[in-house]
Amino acid sequence: MSWLSKLAGGGKSSTPSGPSGAAHRERPATPPKIVIDHHEYVPEEFALGSFRIRPYDGDLIGKQQFDFRMVFDIGNDPVDVACHGLVVKMTDQTGLVARYQSPQPFYERKLIDYVRAWKGL
């Protein structure tokens, strides 16, 4: 098989198989949970690289860096990922708006699979 056909996905069946295939069949109802200082939040908005939590009742302030955990369940595989974020904006009206660095590649692939399943892609 040539490298071009490998990149284009040649030779792969169109039906999902394996653990990632199971994740595509089960569509999650909510975005990943964000755990900051032992408090669990469901983000109002979530995208790869950023999220918004409203209302947020913690101690973070604008431009502060912070560590948090992202928790989600892909198929029957619970995933708990340590992440590092930066507060972009923090007000009563906007809530907590933060960007975060991509997790390690293994967890980043799991997160991408989860978001695809959640958004129905």
Side-chain angles (χ1 to χ4, degrees), residues 49-51 60-68 83-90 96-101:
S50 66
F51 60 84
L60 294 176
I61 59 172
K63 299 184 182 179
Q64 181 178 355
Q65 294 186 19
F66 65 103
D67 292 318
F68 67 97
C83 295
H84 186 75
L86 173 71
V87 177
V88 175
K89 193 170 191 178
M90 178 61 211
L96 168 66
V97 179
R99 287 187 312 216
Y100 63 92
Q101 296 175 351

Side-chain angles (χ1 to χ4, degrees), residues 5-118:
S5 63
K6 288 180 183 178
L7 289 174
K12 291 185 179 177
S13 67
S14 61
T15 58
S17 63
S20 64
H24 288 291
R25 285 191 295 265
E26 297 176 19
R27 187 170 182 181
T30 60
K33 293 182 183 119
I34 306 294
V35 181
I36 303 171
D37 295 330
H38 304 290
H39 297 282
E40 198 171 279
Y41 301 95
V42 175
E44 182 176 292
E45 297 176 22
F46 183 85
L48 292 175
S50 66
F51 60 84
R52 174 193 307 260
I53 297 172
R54 185 171 38 187
Y56 173 73
D57 57 354
D59 297 329
L60 294 176
I61 59 172
K63 299 184 182 179
Q64 181 178 355
Q65 294 186 19
F66 65 103
D67 292 318
F68 67 97
R69 291 185 2 255
M70 195 176 309
V71 180
F72 55 93
D73 200 23
I74 186 159
N76 290 327
D77 182 20
V79 179
D80 189 336
V81 184
C83 295
H84 186 75
L86 173 71
V87 177
V88 175
K89 193 170 191 178
M90 178 61 211
T91 65
D92 289 337
Q93 293 80 23
T94 61
L96 168 66
V97 179
R99 287 187 312 216
Y100 63 92
Q101 296 175 351
S102 295
Q104 295 175 354
F106 175 79
Y107 291 112
E108 183 177 21
R109 284 189 297 275
K110 286 190 174 279
L111 178 61
I112 290 169
D113 287 344
Y114 181 86
V115 170
R116 283 182 179 159
W118 174 50

